[in-house]
Amino acid sequence: MENNSLISITDFSTDEILRVLEIAADFEKKPEPHLLDGKVVSTLFFEPSTRTRLSFESAVNRMGGRVIGFSDPNISSVSKGETLKDTIRIVSNYCDLIVMRHPLEGSSRYASEVATVPVVNAGDGAHQHPTQTLLDMYSIKKTQGRLDNINIFMVGDLKYGRTVHSLVQAMAPFNPVFHFVSHQKLRMPNEYKQYLDSKGVKYYEHEQFADLIPEADVIYMTRVQKERFTDQVEYEKTKDFYVLKNSMLANAKPSMKILHPLPRINEISQDVDSNPHAYYFEQAMNGVYARQAVISYVLGLKK
Ligand code: CP
């Protein structure tokens, strides 16, 4: 991790990822309400968010820190034409850490190059969402008892889904088998498949997966992201291509868990919510522990 920023999940070594997951488990067992006394964290959200922003802010508050920032760039001087560079330089003076979400891929890396404090990427376009990955891995370890040898089905928008991009890279050292289930227009980008090839990781691509559910340890559902499409006709064609229903889960392994970074639109039927395989609401709660761990780690308060 250079510059103490976390922009791509590959900024953390595998040992660092495992350490952050241990720290998250410590926070779940034992809150540290004064760890961030005197510290200020800025949350700069140039794109909408519920879970990421609020779980970061909850994490800071639970550790005794203060939060400043915005959830709508239209109420900042960005709306007057101020550049990202100037915004980040100025905000660096007001805080100890910047958490930023932005629609442009590469914007968080750029911010980390001009900031004088660490930057944590809370999602940059269709590129990466590393703290989501840490909470996803935390959820996998907690529910499966391990990270090694997991059979993971990733379903939905694998083209634009930044959460799946980060997750395949982070899980690669743990001998997973990936099943990429998508409409042909929303396939996992070659860049990530080439990454897996270079690491010798097995993956398969499918258009249908109902018959394969008994093989899954984890089904990672994703939303088709309307906001990433330039052609809304393409969105309409693909948005309801996969809907996971209770009736499809009858032969799943007892330990299989359904994850979803959320928000969910139609891709998981509401009747699945009370199924013991559903884990997405608990997964979102794990985001607080994972983000407490990331904040304390990048600030050097936990090693
Ligand atoms: N998972 C996730 O990034 O959710 P939000 O868009 O609500 O932050």
Side-chain angles (χ1 to χ4, degrees):
M1 183 179 55
E2 278 176 43
N3 181 26
N4 274 7
S5 290
L6 174 59
I7 306 303
S8 165
I9 195 64
T10 54
D11 293 340
F12 275 174
S13 66
T14 300
D15 283 348
E16 285 182 302
I17 289 174
L18 291 172
R19 179 64 194 129
V20 168
L21 299 185
E22 280 174 2
I23 298 170
D26 292 343
F27 276 116
E28 182 170 0
K29 281 190 232 116
K30 185 172 167 286
E32 295 202 40
H34 298 292
L35 189 67
L36 290 192
D37 278 356
K39 300 281 187 207
V40 177
V41 174
S42 294
T43 53
L44 308 185
F45 277 66
F46 294 85
E47 263 194 344
S49 168
T50 296
R51 278 144 294 273
T52 309
R53 185 174 66 82
L54 294 179
S55 63
F56 262 113
E57 295 187 358
S58 175
V60 174
N61 279 287
R62 284 165 191 246
M63 295 189 288
R66 300 290 179 100
V67 178
I68 60 171
F70 53 79
S71 55
D72 176 359
N74 292 321
I75 60 157
S76 77
S77 287
V78 171
S79 65
K80 302 174 200 162
E82 187 164 44
T83 62
L84 181 62
K85 182 177 184 181
D86 286 0
T87 303
I88 295 297
R89 280 175 142 182
I90 296 300
V91 175
S92 289
N93 297 323
Y94 303 153
C95 65
D96 301 285
L97 173 71
I98 294 172
V99 176
M100 187 178 98
R101 170 172 288 187
H102 197 284
L104 287 183
E105 295 168 30
S107 53
S108 296
R109 180 72 66 199
Y110 178 69
S112 74
E113 287 165 4
V114 296
T116 55
V117 296
V119 174
V120 173
N121 179 9
D124 61 330
H127 181 221
Q128 286 265 324
H129 196 347
T131 63
Q132 177 71 43
T133 290
L134 291 164
L135 79 90
D136 293 342
M137 293 177 81
Y138 188 75
S139 301
I140 292 170
K141 191 153 188 255
K142 200 165 154 183
T143 60
Q144 306 299 313
R146 66 189 200 282
L147 288 171
D148 295 294
N149 307 316
I150 302 284
N151 214 351
I152 307 179
F153 283 65
M154 294 181 161
V155 183
D157 183 353
L158 308 186
K159 179 177 178 183
Y160 298 115
R162 55 195 174 197
T163 68
V164 291
H165 299 162
S166 299
L167 188 57
V168 292
Q169 291 186 313
M171 287 298 290
F174 299 98
N175 195 36
V177 176
F178 289 112
H179 294 265
F180 298 140
V181 183
S182 67
H183 187 282
Q184 55 166 333
K185 300 267 186 201
L186 296 177
R187 284 197 173 150
M188 182 62 76
N190 285 336
E191 171 191 351
Y192 295 99
K193 290 190 278 190
Q194 283 160 4
Y195 183 89
L196 296 178
D197 287 337
S198 74
K199 305 284 178 194
V201 174
K202 282 193 201 139
Y203 62 86
Y204 303 92
E205 295 187 283
H206 313 275
E207 277 212 15
Q208 299 303 329
F209 75 113
D211 293 346
L212 301 172
I213 286 176
E215 292 178 26
D217 295 309
V218 169
I219 299 179
Y220 192 99
M221 298 297 295
T222 65
R223 171 178 69 97
V224 176
Q225 299 178 71
K226 186 176 187 187
E227 65 272 29
R228 309 274 177 240
F229 283 75
T230 46
D231 179 351
Q232 288 305 303
V233 176
E234 290 289 318
Y235 169 71
E236 292 297 327
K237 273 191 210 158
T238 53
K239 72 181 168 78
D240 293 325
F241 203 63
Y242 300 105
V243 180
L244 188 65
K245 300 191 172 99
N246 241 343
S247 56
M248 297 163 69
L249 300 170
N251 296 319
K253 290 183 190 177
S255 58
M256 189 279 284
K257 292 295 177 201
I258 302 161
L259 304 185
H260 191 313
L262 304 177
R264 168 246 321 253
I265 309 301
N266 292 322
E267 61 278 2
I268 301 179
S269 168
Q270 305 258 345
D271 66 2
V272 177
D273 294 358
S274 53
N275 189 307
H277 293 294
Y279 191 73
Y280 28 94
F281 294 119
E282 292 92 336
Q283 178 190 0
M285 177 61 214
N286 291 335
V288 175
Y289 312 127
R291 287 172 175 132
Q292 284 179 297
V294 168
I295 292 165
S296 56
Y297 188 77
V298 300
L299 287 176
L301 300 171
K302 296 276 180 184
K303 294 195 189 312

